[in-house]
Amino acid sequence: MQSLLKSLVLCSFLQHATAQQQYREPAPAYIIAPDPTEYQDWLPPTSYSFSFGNKNDSVTPWKPWHHPRPPHYPRPPVCGVQNPSPQREFWLSTFKGAREGISPFLVDGHDYKVFRNVKDFGATGDGHTDDTDAFNRAITDQSRMGGGKGAGGSTGQPALIYIPPGTYVISSSVQLFIDTQVIGDTVNPPTIKASSQMRNNTVMIAGYDFGQPSTTNFYIGLRNVKLDTTGAASEDTIYALNWAVSQATNLVNVDFIMPVDSQHIGIEMDGGDSGGGSGLFMGDLNFEGGLIGILFNNQQYAIKNVKITNTRTGIAVKHAFSLTIQGIECENVGICVDMGPIDVAGSINLIDSSCERCGTVVNGTSSILLENISVRNSGPTLKVNGTARPIGDLTGKTYAQGNVYRDGTGRPSISSNGTAPIARNGTFLPYTNRGSLVGSDGRYFTKKLPQYEDYPVSAFASVRDAGAKGDGVTDDTAAINAALASNADCKITYFPHGVYLVTDTIYVPPGSRIVGEVWSTITASGEHFADENNPQPLIQVGKPGEVGLCEITDMLFTVADVLPGAILTEINMAGAKQGDVSLHNTHYRIGGAADSRTETACQTESDPCKAAFLVMHLKSTSSSYIENAWLWSADHDLDGDYNQQIGTGRGMLVEATQGTHLIGTGSEHHVMYGYQFNNAANVFAALLQVETPYFQPTPRAPAPWTPNPAWNDPDFSGCTGNVSQCYMQWALRIFGEKTHTLPLYGQGFWVFFNGPNYGACTGPDGVCQINIVDLEGLSKGDGVDLYGLNTKGVENMVTIGGSGGRVAATQAENAGSWGGVIAAYLF
Ligand SMILES: *[C@@H]1O[C@H](CO)[C@@H](O)[C@H](O)[C@H]1NC(C)=O
Ligand SMILES: *[C@@H]1O[C@H](CO)[C@@H](O)[C@H](O)[C@H]1NC(C)=O
Ligand SMILES: *[C@@H]1O[C@H](CO)[C@@H](O)[C@H](O)[C@H]1NC(C)=O
Ligand SMILES: *[C@@H]1O[C@H](CO)[C@@H](O)[C@H](O)[C@H]1NC(C)=O
Ligand SMILES: *[C@@H]1O[C@H](CO)[C@@H](O)[C@H](O)[C@H]1NC(C)=O
Ligand SMILES: *[C@@H]1O[C@H](CO)[C@@H](O)[C@H](O)[C@H]1NC(C)=O
Ligand SMILES: *[C@@H]1O[C@H](CO)[C@@H](O)[C@H](O)[C@H]1NC(C)=O
Ligand SMILES: *[C@@H]1O[C@H](CO)[C@@H](O)[C@H](O)[C@H]1NC(C)=O
């Protein structure tokens, strides 16, 4: 160790004579701030105490609808998507479609401004004037307030904060609120710079909306900015960003520039009493300098493509139950990932990464999966409880520390309760090349959020020009279908913020590019979606067999009413090449908001509504790349205080075989399953997050639904002994004899309550639920690999053969994390 460090210093000195510092490991007791209180289990907030103060009650997207004349929307004479090339201006800076957003449920919502350019509020971006107040004015204008306490509940006051190129100096915090999307110019990303006046212990950008618990901080975004703390004193503790937020948020394409060898921290995630939140995804981030890149504190996350240079600790995990990190590049960093400092880390998967001149790559205590990590000129690849594991470079290798099940027989071959010797010392696992899931660089394929910075403003067309209104009263079906048909392979279709009511399926043809604005909403309404025996898609991406391109970003798909036959999204299309069919930062909501009658119609405890049939269906012909998606059946009301008993039948159904990437997805509170893989093949996942409906087992699943064999629904018929907790949603089902090659990294499957009324868990041994993961009819060697399986509140972590099947792994024998943790379950 000693001599290695000495040679590292020398090596570094020769190679990088100008580098200010060669990092050794930080002192163990470094700053954990600003609130080091221990994490407490999540409890439902007793009162949300906000409401939609001035709601326009004549906007009722469930009916009646105003039918406009069918639009005549010819193919635009000039296209614009054919030849992308570097642009001088970012299209958003001038595009008129981005000034057409409305908030239909707000009284006088047509006068409400969604788009806000900080320069219109007095920001100068001149590199010396203090622009703090201008930023906060842009964000709070028109009575926008925190925590949904403003006039428009949580969903009624969306704001797109656009930051043109420039250097904006701020001296104190800029506060974001729920439903705020900050977008810097992508062509010339702006810098937000801390002034020398910035006081110790300041958060520059407060992304966490303190008006609500961090676990309900939804719909907040920040992208394309450089957060520069170098103007503030190095010895002060400065946080570039507080990101104690939860699902349906996005943090992408942000640089954190901090003085080398300072006390500055890039991201902190403390949300007061409510912990750090329940998030899904962040990615394409860059950290330079500072004490810590990400001071991580959240239930679960997928983190993708992060570069960290000259930082003392790259990612310091204060708390995480399930963390999957894909593509981290640490260079000249003391510890690349430190799970150790407070030790409430449950499990971590670190894959497709590299370390160059790191003191330690991973410092940990608990369940760890490392795969394909290039380690050069560095100290130990892994330290566990202070002892280095001599495992060296992990290029093309997989190494697990923790409990490993590997033969599908249900016996832990290595394990189990922390006493088995090999578990303590870790083990190499077979590394498999996953063919079509891997990109040209030998890593799992990834794709950045498309932002079209290489396209001129003339490449964009607003759906308003095709006659769509987005006002929640007009039937926009024909206008949207006409716009998409005309714009395919020609224009990028922009949806100004609004609620687009549709009464029939929206067909998205190959060649489509769809851009929303602070989650523009398309909502299903009417008969077409009402029949559970003939369910119909709201959004249909291609027809079976179609191949091509479809990119969807920043959209929200919902139901306007109780619609037992609604499938929110069906994907049939395969990409012409990897990632061509992609959905980024596009989410699904059933109930819980002013835009749906389900908010008021589904209030009876123990009698959840059949509010939708299925959220997402990836059909067998499809291939797709889905990054940052939250499939949410509401457990509480965002805009008022109505009790929400939403009983969507199913979460995500995957039958795709041709290459599917699920990066940072969550599927919450659906009656029969969160994720179901049926004859699926070649699916990569970084984080699958599921919560069981809070009302279950009252009623017992599958109620209120009747299982439909045509949809391969689980029927819970194997449950015996009249144990209610057996009749609860499966977080994950994998079956079908054609199933193969499912490398799934990071599962967080949580059960908190036994309904009704958020009741305590009353199952055997005090558990909330008997089964959670179902594997059926698989053959050994199918490549169904669960890495980092985490559960809370269950008896059995893995069951083979359905609800009456064989128990393969229990939570008790895998105690850890939030309940149980398995480092690798390889079938
Ligand atoms: C309420 O919404 C209806 C339907 O969009 C609209 O015609 C009316 O002007 C709105 N009223 C107010 C006060 O915003
Ligand atoms: C900054 O504040 C933190 C937390 O209160 C404190 O620990 C630290 O000593 C302060 N730093 C300086 C330079 O005063
Ligand atoms: C590393 O992990 C250990 C626990 O194994 C912890 O005590 C320590 O604080 C961690 N960090 C450092 C910098 O040693
Ligand atoms: C721990 O696991 C081993 C091997 O599976 C088993 O023999 C032993 O009884 C277990 N100990 C406890 C306390 O459960
Ligand atoms: C585990 O590792 C330690 C330290 O290298 C060694 O002393 C011990 O014998 C190992 N145990 C087993 C079962 O391999
Ligand atoms: C590391 O230390 C913790 C705390 O003492 C202990 O619970 C855990 O089992 C240890 N891990 C290993 C792999 O020895
Ligand atoms: C692992 O990642 C590296 C890049 O860090 C890549 O070159 C390599 O092909 C990957 N796969 C294998 C099997 O080594
Ligand atoms: C099964 O349990 C439920 C609720 O605990 C109870 O109401 C019902 O009578 C039981 N049925 C039988 C057949 O015991």
Side-chain angles (χ1 to χ4, degrees), residues 790-815:
N790 293 263
T791 61
K792 173 178 171 57
V794 304
E795 183 87 31
N796 304 322
M797 293 181 73
V798 180
T799 309
I800 313 273
S803 44
R806 181 166 53 82
V807 176
T810 66
Q811 197 174 280
E813 71 180 354
N814 293 286

Side-chain angles (χ1 to χ4, degrees), residues 37 61 111 163 225 249 296 324 378 402 434 477 485 605 651 703 721 737 766 824:
T37 51
D111 299 333
I163 311 177
V225 293
T249 57
F296 189 87
T324 293
S378 293
R434 274 80 174 219
T477 319
E605 279 287 352
E737 54 191 29

Side-chain angles (χ1 to χ4, degrees), residues 447-750:
K447 175 176 175 174
K448 284 181 104 167
L449 171 81
Q451 298 201 69
Y452 306 108
E453 62 274 14
D454 289 341
Y455 292 91
V457 67
S458 60
F460 287 77
S462 166
V463 285
R464 292 284 165 77
D465 294 345
K469 295 266 187 279
D471 60 5
V473 224
T474 307
D475 183 345
D476 286 329
T477 319
I480 293 173
N481 275 329
L484 292 176
S486 295
N487 291 343
D489 283 321
C490 182
K491 293 270 184 187
I492 299 162
T493 307
Y494 190 86
F495 283 76
H497 190 91
V499 175
Y500 296 84
L501 185 173
V502 304
T503 55
D504 204 340
T505 296
I506 297 300
Y507 163 65
V508 183
S512 293
R513 296 167 176 85
I514 292 174
V515 177
E517 181 177 275
V518 207
W519 302 283
S520 304
T521 302
I522 298 181
T523 191
S525 192
E527 299 276 288
H528 181 67
F529 304 105
D531 182 2
E532 70 179 274
N533 295 312
N534 184 21
Q536 298 296 323
L538 165 63
I539 306 294
Q540 183 183 50
V541 177
K543 300 264 172 27
E546 279 184 340
V547 175
L549 179 113
C550 167
E551 294 178 332
I552 300 178
T553 57
D554 297 344
M555 295 292 292
L556 181 73
F557 302 130
T558 69
V559 290
D561 205 342
V562 178
L563 293 171
I567 297 171
L568 272 64
T569 294
E570 172 188 287
I571 302 184
N572 297 294
M573 199 190 300
K577 52 184 197 315
Q578 250 175 341
D580 269 4
V581 175
S582 65
L583 292 88
H584 286 75
N585 189 34
T586 289
H587 306 287
Y588 308 81
R589 184 171 72 214
I590 299 109
D595 63 6
S596 180
R597 197 178 74 90
T598 54
E599 188 200 29
T600 51
C602 305
Q603 294 197 61
T604 315
E605 279 287 352
S606 317
D607 187 20
C609 283
K610 294 196 224 181
F613 185 85
L614 166 68
V615 184
M616 199 167 202
H617 192 181
L618 309 184
K619 302 216 358 182
S620 59
T621 55
S622 71
S623 68
S624 59
Y625 178 93
I626 296 169
E627 178 179 292
N628 192 9
W630 185 37
L631 287 60
W632 187 51
S633 281
D635 58 280
H636 67 272
D637 190 354
L638 301 175
D639 293 330
D641 284 321
Y642 298 109
N643 191 10
Q644 297 297 290
Q645 303 296 322
I646 309 289
T648 302
R650 306 143 186 91
M652 186 187 288
L653 174 58
V654 184
E655 295 169 334
T657 58
Q658 307 202 37
T660 300
H661 294 79
L662 306 175
I663 320 263
T665 69
S667 183
E668 292 191 325
H669 319 136
H670 314 303
V671 169
M672 287 188 265
Y673 56 78
Y675 294 87
Q676 174 161 296
F677 292 79
N678 174 20
N679 284 326
N682 302 310
V683 184
F684 166 85
L687 181 62
L688 304 174
Q689 185 247 337
V690 180
E691 287 180 6
T692 296
Y694 296 172
F695 50 75
Q696 284 180 350
T698 314
R700 292 177 170 189
W705 295 85
T706 306
N708 185 338
W711 288 83
N712 296 106
D713 290 334
D715 63 9
F716 304 90
S717 61
C719 291
T720 54
N722 198 26
V723 177
S724 294
Q725 286 78 7
C726 181
Y727 300 88
M728 294 173 74
Q729 157 223 78
W730 293 100
L732 173 64
R733 300 184 76 211
I734 303 177
F735 58 93
E737 54 191 29
K738 293 189 216 135
T739 295
H740 69 88
T741 315
L742 306 183
L744 310 178
Y745 296 82
Q747 298 87 44
F749 297 157
W750 319 130

Side-chain angles (χ1 to χ4, degrees), residues 389-460:
R389 294 284 164 78
I391 53 177
D393 178 73
L394 290 177
T395 304
K397 293 179 185 165
T398 305
Y399 182 84
Q401 156 66 39
N403 297 351
V404 176
Y405 293 70
R406 61 193 295 183
D407 59 5
T409 63
R411 296 311 314 160
S413 63
I414 303 171
S415 171
S416 69
N417 37 37
T419 58
I422 308 173
R424 196 163 63 233
N425 284 3
T427 185
F428 282 96
L429 297 174
Y431 178 91
T432 343
N433 185 324
R434 274 80 174 219
S436 64
L437 295 171
V438 173
S440 54
D441 62 358
R443 297 177 167 189
Y444 286 113
F445 174 80
T446 61
K447 175 176 175 174
K448 284 181 104 167
L449 171 81
Q451 298 201 69
Y452 306 108
E453 62 274 14
D454 289 341
Y455 292 91
V457 67
S458 60
F460 287 77

